[in-house]
């Protein structure tokens, strides 16, 4: 069982920056593959960034977002810069077991980009 708690969301102006955190706890949390997803109103949840060999980023955020992991703190971060109104969404952290593919989700954190 893995528990995920996201934080760091809020209201930011276009062009601004924000860093989201996802604190993980539970059994063998260090082996899980970590990723960030987002879901805007009326849209499907989409993969934003994942920690894989070389990293993965959705085309819409490439060059603006950076995913990183602090293994000592069991925390994953999503640094977001040059934010746009279309980045407005609830952002979710996901942990997936590499063999069983069982996935856990956090409760989400709201990011609103508006002037």
């Amino acid at each position: 069982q893995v528990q995920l708690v996201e934080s760091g969301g809020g209201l930011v102006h276009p062009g601004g920056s924000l860093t989201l955190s996802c604190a993980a706890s539970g059994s063998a949390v260090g082996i899980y593959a970590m990723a960030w997803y987002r879901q805007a109103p009326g849209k499907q949840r989409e993969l934003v960034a994942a920690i894989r060999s070389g990293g993965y980023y959705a085309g819409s955020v490439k060059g603006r977002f950076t995913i990183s992991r602090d293994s000592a703190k069991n925390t994953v971060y999503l640094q977001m810069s040059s934010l746009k109104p279309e980045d407005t969404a609830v952002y979710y952290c996901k942990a997936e077991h590499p063999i069983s593919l069982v996935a856990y989700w956090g409760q989400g954190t709201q990011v609103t980009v508006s002037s």
Side-chain angles (χ1 to χ4, degrees):
Q1 192 82 356
V2 174
Q3 295 79 42
L4 304 172
V5 179
E6 300 104 331
S7 60
L11 173 64
V12 62
H13 293 307
S17 300
L18 211 56
T19 296
L20 306 182
S21 300
C22 172
S25 60
S27 177
V29 66
I31 68 171
Y32 283 74
M34 304 298 294
W36 285 96
Y37 285 70
R38 69 185 180 187
Q39 188 167 19
K43 295 188 177 182
Q44 288 190 330
R45 192 172 297 189
E46 63 172 350
L47 175 62
V48 175
I51 292 184
R52 304 173 183 172
S53 177
Y56 167 84
Y57 295 94
S60 60
V61 307
K62 197 172 293 185
R64 300 188 298 120
F65 290 13
T66 302
I67 188 171
S68 62
R69 182 175 195 161
D70 185 333
S71 297
K73 296 181 178 180
N74 287 330
T75 300
V76 177
Y77 303 96
L78 185 67
Q79 296 173 278
M80 307 183 293
S81 61
S82 301
L83 283 161
K84 305 174 182 180
E86 50 263 45
D87 294 318
T88 295
V90 178
Y91 284 71
Y92 297 91
C93 179
K94 176 187 175 183
E96 184 177 274
H97 193 280
I99 298 175
S100 69
L101 302 184
V102 171
Y104 299 92
W105 294 87
Q107 82 288 352
T109 185
Q110 175 71 47
V111 172
T112 302
V113 184
S114 175
S115 55

